[in-house]
Amino acid sequence: MADTARGRLRIFLGAAPGVGKTYAMLSEAHRRRSRGADVVVGFVEHHDRALTAGLLDGLEAVPRKAMRHRGAEFTEMDLDAVLARRPAVALVDELAHTNVPGSRNAKRWQDVAELLAAGIDVVSTVNIQHLESLGDVVEGITGIRQRETVPDEVVRRAEQVELVDMDPQALRRRLAHGNVYAPDKVDAALAHYFRPGNLTALRELALLWTADRVDEYLQRYRAEQGIKGTWQARERIVVGLTGGPEGATLVRRAARIAARASGGELLAVHIARSDGLAGSSSQALIEQRVLVESLGGSFHTVLGEEPAAGLLDFARGVNATQIVLGTSRRKVRHYLSGPGVGHTVIRDCGDIDVHMVTHEQAARGLGRIPIRKVTDLGRTRTVAGWLIGVAGPVLLALLLTHYRGVGLPTDMLLFLSLTVCAALVGGLFPAIGSALVGSATLNYFFAPPLHTFTIAEPENIAAVAIFCAVGIAVATVVDTAARRSQQAARSQAEAQTLSVLAGTVLRGAPDGEGMLAALLDQVRETFQEESVALLERRHEFDPWHPLAVSGPHPPEHPDDGQAAAPAGSTLALVLTGRVLPAADRRLLGAFAAQAAVLVEHRRLADEAAAARREAEGNRIRTALLAAVSHDLRTPLAGIKAAVTSLRAVDVEWDEEDEAELLAGIESGADRLDHLINNLLDMSRLQTGTVTPLIRPTDLDEVVPYALGGVAAGAVTVDVPESLPMVLADAGLLERSLGNLVENAVKYSPPGSPVLVKADLLRTPGGGVRVELRIVDRGPGVPEDARERIFAPFQRYGDAPRGAGVGLGLAVARGFAEAMDGTVTAEDTPGGGLTMVVSLPVAGLPDAAGPSDRADPADSAGPSDPAGPSDIDRERKADPV
């Protein structure tokens, strides 16, 4: 049976809740349905908005699946029912949504992936703040950390991404009119998340992200269609750098031009010429690269035969609109060897604007004249060499016939000078032609008998032969010297390229994949190829698969490319596009070796990380065994001894003794329960399976339960009723406070109760948090040991083994950090230790520290910046 074609994904992207994504999606559904398409609603959340809910009329909806979690009932998309219904198009709202625990997939975008794999087209929605790569940016703008995210690649792979845009003031008016949230949430939303500055910044993020994706599509289309002309859809400023001292001036000037064009892009390029470049400096290029990157641009190195042609090819390849060059440093006499780069670029730039920037080094000289290639001098010099070598001897012969007093040796020297001149100008072959034509002309006009090719005197025969041999030898020496100069200059260019490559890798991303991608981009730009792929196979007969690619339509096999370089027995660097000359193969081999090093580095890093995890796991297992061997055995032994005594038939216990034994059993069981709970909690923290159920929580409800395990009178509580609610998981907070209080009571001297006090604290950044302080009057802990007491299986000082396995404080801190809180230790004035628990305040988006307090992913339900409901928080939580 033929494979099912993959479905197509269309996404409506918005900058914030309320811009109309769901409305646009439903309108698109009605449009497709009117054309006869089979459209069903997989999951659409209208958030009680009348206009949006009205668009659901007339659309078939697959019934949702009811699920229970923590005693409450929720509904999710019934993925199996939609797959069984198999429509042509399914509407699935809120792509970044987290499914209720127990669902087949943890995220809704994973459900969408299954629908697409089944051949069902999907139309979905997502807000810009839910893209994974923008989490830090959005948090910096709004102060809110998004917990529900979708990988950027999922959205980028969509066949269509349509931006649903709205002016910030218009969105605020919609909000004020009650078209987005319920009236009781409007004021809070307008004052916090929906401030004009927040909305403007989020709108800019959405526009720029969409523009980047459009640009990717445009570049791919231009490459596929072979379009070389410039399309001025976006300002791209290319600045040409030679490595000279004027580079920093050019980069800053180009950056100012790019800044004036909204969305302008700055690209710096250095053409590493194969015939050398006078005045270039590797150190200067490194400094200029750092400057470009600090200004938000990108640096590129391209290996090119001619600087002007390489610069223009690069500019057209990136669809540049402007080129920035510095005025030439060459002096007037240097132009005798040909026009400068600036003149050539201006002449051949076509529809690309060129800016010539003056600088202090203009016309001050290059230090030396560039050595030109002799083996490929261009048409002009080759033609000039042939004219000198062929026409020159004839004209010289006509001139010398008027001066008969000149002897044959002088005539030969004059003709030899023409041969040397032809070699210098036109290279080897014009010089050989000049030697042959010159010898024939000497024979015909000046060697007796005249005007015949017969030579009467033997010494004249030798003279003509020597002349011909000397001319050819001189031409050969000149050509060889030029070739050696060219090879040396090319080696210099290759070394410079490798130097820049090494700097790129050293400054690259810390992850191997990022560095591999940067390396392949460098290969493609350096050799001007269409695409590059690093292929790998495990064994000789296994199929190849790509590790990293750059460019459209990357090769899938070494035979698919125009050039390939092996990087060991299992790796190959393959290029498609132009055929690579043999001279470039050595440089390609260096790139391949560097790619192999990066792959090996990434694998070693993965193995080291796995080894660290294994070592940590072994440490935890060893500690657990130690705990079981002693700390758990002690209460078990006590329980067994008490039970054995009670069951003894030869002893009769009075009520007081029996009560004491039962109390011992109960105490041992409580101790076992406490130890085992801490062990389980630590195991869950180590494996990352603790997912808190964050919701507004009143401390008055949590603190009394946290004190349930301590003796009466051992703790004094000072928690004002006027304190605002905190964002926390009530169960985790109770366990965390319980462990801290139990630890404080254990070390407090008799008659000195532990104080539990809560205050509202304003942070230096303007945020607001609640601090709970657990104050004891015990021996205290030195400052250098305060962090160690929070490590698992640690006891401070001479605490006995029976005092526990040393997990209480580690569990307390782990639970607090899982709720975006902190636990720190301080000195108690007058002696003792104070544990400080800091928690975010509910309902204040500007509170310090990230939290779920106003997750805009959940507008009026799963995306309510004004404050999510308890049900929505339940939907986000995993079982704890």
Side-chain angles (χ1 to χ4, degrees), residues 828-866:
T828 299
L833 187 69
T834 298
M835 292 291 182
V836 182
V837 182
S838 176
L839 296 169
V841 176
L844 294 178
D846 290 332
S851 72
D852 277 5
R853 59 192 175 276
D855 191 346
D858 306 319
S859 58
S863 299
D864 190 356

Side-chain angles (χ1 to χ4, degrees), residues 670 674 703-712 714-715 734 737-739 741-742 745:
D670 289 340
H674 180 73
V703 173
Y705 287 103
L707 305 181
V710 299
V715 178
E734 177 189 333
L737 293 178
N739 282 358
V741 170
E742 180 184 345
V745 170

Side-chain angles (χ1 to χ4, degrees), residues 15 53 130 159 290 295 316 347 360 386 464 489 501 619 632 681 687 692 696 720 736 741 771 779 818 848:
H130 295 299
E159 280 72 18
V290 173
L295 293 173
R316 294 190 181 103
R347 183 190 64 199
E360 294 181 353
W386 279 108
V464 172
L501 167 65
R619 190 183 71 82
L632 299 183
D681 291 339
T687 56
S736 181
V741 170
E771 278 194 354

Side-chain angles (χ1 to χ4, degrees), residues 10 26-36:
R10 180 173 183 177
L26 293 173
S27 300
E28 172 66 12
H30 281 284
R31 185 182 68 83
R32 295 196 184 193
R33 184 172 179 274
S34 66
R35 297 186 316 190

Side-chain angles (χ1 to χ4, degrees), residues 560-577:
D560 296 340
Q562 276 66 46
S569 59
T570 60
L571 293 173
L573 187 63
V574 187
L575 290 72
T576 60

Side-chain angles (χ1 to χ4, degrees), residues 5-8 82-83 86-90 112 115-122:
R6 181 176 175 81
R8 296 167 62 85
V82 178
L83 290 171
R86 198 169 185 79
V89 182
V112 169
L115 296 177
L116 296 173
I120 300 173
D121 291 349
V122 176

Side-chain angles (χ1 to χ4, degrees), residues 54-74:
L55 286 179
L56 287 170
D57 295 339
L59 294 176
E60 177 187 350
V62 175
R64 299 186 184 183
K65 183 178 181 180
M67 302 183 67
R68 294 194 65 81
H69 175 60
R70 291 181 174 268
E73 185 171 293
F74 310 99

Side-chain angles (χ1 to χ4, degrees), residues 283-308:
Q283 181 60 37
L285 285 173
I286 293 173
E287 294 173 357
Q288 290 163 17
R289 178 191 189 94
V290 173
L291 176 61
V292 170
E293 293 174 349
S294 69
L295 293 173
S298 58
F299 188 93
H300 309 265
T301 300
V302 175
L303 192 64
E305 298 298 333
E306 291 291 337

